[in-house]
């Protein structure tokens, strides 16, 4: 684990922080504490600096009032794009005064020169206060609100109040980003043809119907995250990773995790590791092969990596033909904001909270996630839903994001402690199914994907994670996108590109400077990588399932429907 003097190199919010902070209400995270006190003491020791900042702000506000200020929002700031902010003298002055005060708050935080942990904690508080106080959020000031009120004869206010009441009465108590009935699972999202071919108390195994006459002999088993549901990988026709892989002749299987309840509180690493092994057994028998390709994403990737270490330890590494990780962090040495916000006390409090319920509620996780990006995920929808009284635009990825799941208390505890102690970087510090976990012993060919703007799994951390594997053939791919867009990345986007190359540089930035750049999506590159390790093609199966694994129902199955 990083020492208190370690300077973080990734401004991100990894999974372990979300799992820790999600058990604390947002209001409590904003209350004054010792960090606030140290911030105040630091500024009190610099009265001249503070006086200078206050004086500069006062002079700027005087210029604003007199109409002499040239302050304007940056081009990327979408809050003040309505012409009224420029053309109405009063609104223009309110906007300029706000921008001046916001800049002063940033400068005072920099002046305090806090230890980086305190700095990042205060950054969270100040960002949320500054964003919340923006005049564009006020129904009494916002020109968008007044125009909507006039255009609808007052109906926008009625709709806004109703939407506010609905959202605040139920978790996650943030503005809805999409209407709950905007999409239907199995009809408008998660529609690739397939069947459930196995069901246990923990998962359903889905096999997708082939779309080609010939298929790769070695099948692909996808291990999705244990937070949210699997269908982000089958989000919609034309943008579905699963649909694309099947169309390229790949035999695709995926785990659909059950949404745990309080009675499943004891499900932990071993429960999910055993599920992955059981799914591999079924896939190998159905496809009549000795091995499978394994692709794990986010938290599912962590579990898949630990399972791969277990199989290696017991002499069954050859069951994995190729191992891939997408947006997965195994090494959190410099996890930035996560290390700043996490502590042993916070971790233990989070563990106790989920243990009382038997699970971590995914809606609490969604609330925490939203407040980490308040401009995009809170106040944008505040203005749209409440101030303007409009229904948010339907967007399938946001519908998936709102379709939350719970996390069993034992799994929550183990993930939090693993992140707090950065246990995976220490050989044998953790175990999976009775085997010590040493990722350096996982020597199967590896393919690791990161997103350059990923704010949950920073790309530098995913690169370091790739280097933890013992694979001699280890390809790292860096997509020009974020956490979700790195996965929902279909070919044909002229703006998309990726860099790829062997994991041969110790420093991620050095790798970035030397890696070859390619246009379009990484999906075709991965399909080609799989084909090179899949042997000859075989005739596509005429029926789904196999002996002992009859089709139990159509994809996407029943577990994905559970709330």
């Amino acid at each position: 684990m990083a020492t208190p003097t370690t300077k973080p190199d990734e401004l991100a919010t990894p999974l372990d922080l979300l799992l820790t902070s999600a058990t604390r209400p947002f209001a409590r995270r904003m209350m004054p504490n010792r960090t606030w006190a140290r911030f105040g003491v630091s500024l009190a020791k610099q009265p001249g600096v503070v006086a200078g900042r206050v004086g500069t702000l006062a002079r700027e506000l005087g210029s604003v009032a007199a109409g002499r200020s040239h302050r304007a929002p940056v081009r990327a700031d979408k809050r003040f794009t309505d012409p009224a902010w420029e053309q109405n003298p009063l609104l223009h002055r309110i906007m300029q005064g706000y921008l001046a005060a916001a800049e002063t708050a940033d400068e005072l935080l920099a002046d305090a020169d806090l230890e980086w942990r305190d700095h990042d904690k205060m950054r969270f508080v100040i960002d949320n206060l500054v964003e919340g106080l923006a005049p564009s959020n006020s129904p009494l000031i916002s020109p968008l609100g007044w125009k909507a009120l006039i255009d609808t004869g007052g109906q926008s206010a009625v709709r806004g109040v109703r939407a506010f009441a609905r959202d605040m009465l139920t978790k996650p108590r943030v503005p809805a980003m999409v209407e709950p009935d905007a999409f239907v699972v199995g009809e408008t999202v998660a529609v690739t043809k397939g069947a459930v071919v196995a069901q246990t108390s923990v998962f359903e195994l889905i096999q997708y119907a082939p779309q080609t006459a010939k298929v790769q002999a070695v099948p692909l088993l996808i291990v999705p995250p244990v937070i949210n549901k699997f269908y982000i990988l089958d989000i919609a026709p034309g943008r579905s990773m699963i649909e694309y892989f099947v169309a390229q002749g790949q035999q695709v299987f995926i785990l659909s995790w059950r949404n745990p309840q309080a009675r499943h509180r004891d499900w932990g690493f071993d429960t999910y590791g055993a599920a992955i092994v059981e799914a591999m057994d079924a896939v190998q028998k159905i496809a009549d092969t000795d091995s499978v390709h394994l692709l794990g994403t986010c938290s599912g990737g962590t579990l898949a990596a630990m399972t791969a270490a277990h199989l290696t330890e017991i002499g069954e590494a050859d069951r994995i033909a190729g191992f891939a990780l997408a947006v997965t962090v195994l090494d959190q040495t410099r996890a930035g904001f996560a290390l700043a916000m996490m502590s042993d006390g916070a971790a233990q409090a989070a563990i106790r909270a989920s243990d009382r319920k038997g699970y971590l509620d995914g809606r609490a996780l969604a609330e925490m996630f939203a407040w980490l990006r308040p401009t995009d995920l809170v106040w944008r929808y505040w203005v749209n839903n409440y101030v303007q009284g409009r229904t948010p635009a339907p967007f399938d990825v946001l519908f998936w994001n709102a379709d939350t799941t719970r996390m069993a208390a034992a799994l929550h505890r183990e993930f939090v402690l693993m992140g707090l102690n950065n246990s995976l970087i220490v050989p044998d510090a953790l175990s999976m199914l009775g085997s010590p976990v040493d990722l350096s012993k996982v020597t199967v060919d590896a393919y690791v994907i990161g997103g350059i703007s990923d704010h949950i799994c920073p790309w530098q951390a995913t690169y370091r994670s790739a280097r933890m594997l013992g694979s001699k053939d280890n390809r790292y791919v860096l997509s020009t996108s974020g956490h979700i867009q790195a996965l929902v990345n279909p070919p044909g986007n002229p703006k998309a590109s990726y860099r790829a190359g062997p994991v041969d540089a110790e420093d991620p930035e050095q790798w970035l400077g030397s890696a070859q750049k390619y246009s379009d999506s990484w999906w075709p590159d991965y399909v080609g990588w799989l084909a090179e390790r899949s042997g000859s093609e075989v005739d596509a199966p005429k029926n789904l399932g196999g002996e002992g694994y009859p089709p139990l129902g159509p994809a996407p199955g029943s577990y994905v429907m559970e709330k």
Side-chain angles (χ1 to χ4, degrees):
M1 186 172 176
T3 64
T5 57
T6 299
K7 182 179 180 180
D9 65 358
E10 294 112 31
L11 298 177
T13 312
L15 175 65
D16 42 273
L17 169 61
L18 292 173
L19 297 181
T20 301
S21 297
T23 59
R24 299 177 60 210
F26 172 74
R28 286 184 57 190
R29 293 192 294 272
M30 295 293 292
M31 294 299 289
N33 54 26
R34 293 179 181 177
T35 297
W36 286 51
R38 287 189 286 270
F39 175 57
V41 168
S42 178
L43 291 179
K45 292 179 179 178
Q46 307 175 70
V49 172
V50 175
R53 295 294 186 199
V54 172
T56 299
L57 176 60
R59 290 190 293 274
E60 176 73 5
L61 293 178
S63 297
V64 167
R68 297 192 302 269
S69 175
H70 298 290
R71 186 174 293 275
V74 296
R75 181 174 298 180
D77 191 342
K78 305 298 183 184
R79 298 172 297 177
F80 303 107
T81 54
D82 189 278
W85 293 110
E86 289 293 332
Q87 298 172 8
N88 183 292
L90 177 59
L91 291 180
H92 189 61
R93 285 167 170 78
I94 290 174
M95 176 191 70
Q96 288 183 316
Y98 164 77
L99 293 174
E103 182 179 286
T104 301
D106 282 342
E107 291 170 341
L108 288 173
L109 178 59
D111 293 335
D113 195 23
L114 297 170
E115 191 266 343
W116 71 268
R117 293 174 186 268
D118 283 341
H119 180 276
D120 281 358
K121 290 178 182 178
M122 287 306 303
R123 174 87 278 160
F124 175 82
V125 171
I126 289 174
D127 279 353
N128 275 285
L129 287 175
V130 167
E131 294 294 336
L133 292 172
S136 55
N137 299 331
S138 172
L140 299 179
I141 298 175
S142 170
L144 295 177
W146 283 106
K147 290 175 181 177
L149 196 69
I150 294 170
D151 289 344
T152 65
Q155 286 301 306
S156 64
V158 176
R159 291 196 295 264
V161 170
R162 286 176 178 170
F164 177 81
R166 179 198 64 186
D167 293 341
M168 294 304 111
L169 288 174
T170 58
K171 292 180 179 180
R173 296 190 176 89
V174 291
M177 302 176 203
V178 65
E179 290 297 299
D181 58 354
F183 298 89
V184 179
V185 178
E187 295 182 17
T188 52
V189 293
V191 298
T192 301
K193 300 293 184 182
V196 175
V197 293
Q199 184 186 72
T200 74
S201 61
V202 181
F203 71 91
E204 288 180 331
L205 178 65
I206 299 172
Q207 179 185 14
Y208 288 93
Q211 298 179 11
T212 54
K214 296 283 188 178
V215 295
Q216 299 295 331
V218 179
L220 171 66
L221 173 61
I222 302 175
V223 183
V226 290
I227 299 171
N228 286 106
K229 296 178 179 178
F230 80 87
Y231 64 85
I232 189 62
L233 304 175
D234 186 28
I235 192 65
R239 293 166 52 240
S240 164
M241 179 190 293
I242 290 171
E243 176 193 54
Y244 179 81
F245 289 172
V246 171
Q248 301 305 307
Q250 195 67 47
Q251 296 189 71
V252 180
F253 295 77
I254 195 168
L255 288 157
S256 175
W257 300 116
R258 186 175 195 171
N259 195 359
Q261 300 182 29
R263 68 177 184 274
H264 304 128
R265 63 171 60 247
D266 295 327
W267 288 2
F269 283 158
D270 284 350
T271 305
Y272 287 87
I276 294 171
V277 173
E278 187 174 356
M280 290 177 64
D281 293 339
V283 171
Q284 287 179 235
K285 188 168 183 180
I286 292 170
D288 192 23
T289 62
D290 296 327
S291 62
V292 302
H293 289 293
L294 204 58
L295 166 60
T297 64
C298 197
S299 57
T302 303
L303 295 168
M306 296 175 69
T307 305
H310 160 69
L311 292 173
T312 301
E313 188 69 23
I314 65 174
E316 296 184 10
D318 56 355
R319 293 183 60 186
I320 304 176
F323 183 58
L325 294 172
V327 293
T328 299
V329 172
L330 306 175
D331 177 4
Q332 302 180 70
T333 301
R334 296 184 295 276
F337 189 51
L339 286 179
M341 298 295 283
M342 286 184 69
S343 66
D344 186 66
Q348 294 301 328
I351 290 168
R352 288 193 299 271
S354 64
D355 186 63
R356 284 193 294 270
K357 289 185 176 181
Y359 56 80
L360 172 69
D361 193 335
R363 294 173 300 177
L365 194 63
E367 179 189 356
M368 175 62 189
F369 184 81
W371 285 112
L372 289 168
R373 298 175 61 196
T375 301
D376 293 334
L377 301 181
V378 177
W379 298 113
R380 171 187 172 188
Y381 294 97
W382 173 282
V383 172
N384 181 84
N385 301 5
Y386 309 153
V387 177
Q388 294 181 274
R390 297 167 56 185
T391 300
F395 185 27
D396 48 25
V397 171
L398 291 179
F399 174 82
W400 164 84
N401 189 62
D403 193 4
T404 60
T405 62
R406 294 173 288 275
M407 177 182 276
L411 187 65
H412 177 231
R413 178 184 67 248
E414 291 171 345
F415 261 117
V416 167
L417 294 179
M418 180 181 70
L420 181 68
N421 299 307
N422 202 8
S423 304
L424 283 177
I425 70 170
V426 182
D428 305 342
L430 292 175
S431 67
M432 170 61 83
L433 297 172
S435 300
V437 174
D438 184 350
L439 296 178
S440 67
K441 294 182 179 179
V442 179
T443 58
V444 63
D445 292 354
Y447 189 104
V448 181
I449 306 112
I452 199 165
S453 56
D454 191 336
H455 59 286
I456 296 178
C457 297
W459 79 266
Q460 299 96 330
T462 61
Y463 179 83
R464 289 197 309 273
S465 299
R467 286 179 56 83
M468 291 174 61
L469 302 174
S471 312
K472 292 183 176 60
D473 186 341
N474 194 339
R475 183 171 178 81
Y476 183 74
V477 173
L478 181 60
S479 174
T480 52
S481 47
H483 189 69
I484 299 302
Q485 290 78 12
L487 299 176
V488 184
N489 195 343
N493 182 355
K495 296 182 179 179
S497 66
Y498 65 95
R499 295 181 184 273
V503 185
D504 52 7
E506 182 174 354
D507 180 48
E509 298 295 339
Q510 182 181 350
W511 179 92
L512 182 63
S514 61
Q516 187 171 350
K517 186 175 182 179
Y518 303 86
S519 60
D520 215 333
S521 166
W522 58 267
W523 288 4
D525 183 75
Y526 179 55
V527 167
W529 187 89
L530 288 172
E532 292 173 1
R533 293 158 178 80
S534 296
S536 58
E537 293 185 330
V538 298
D539 291 334
K542 294 181 173 57
N543 301 300
L544 298 182
E547 184 179 352
Y549 298 97
L552 304 176
S558 60
Y559 281 178
V560 75
M561 305 296 182
E562 294 180 355
K563 299 296 183 181

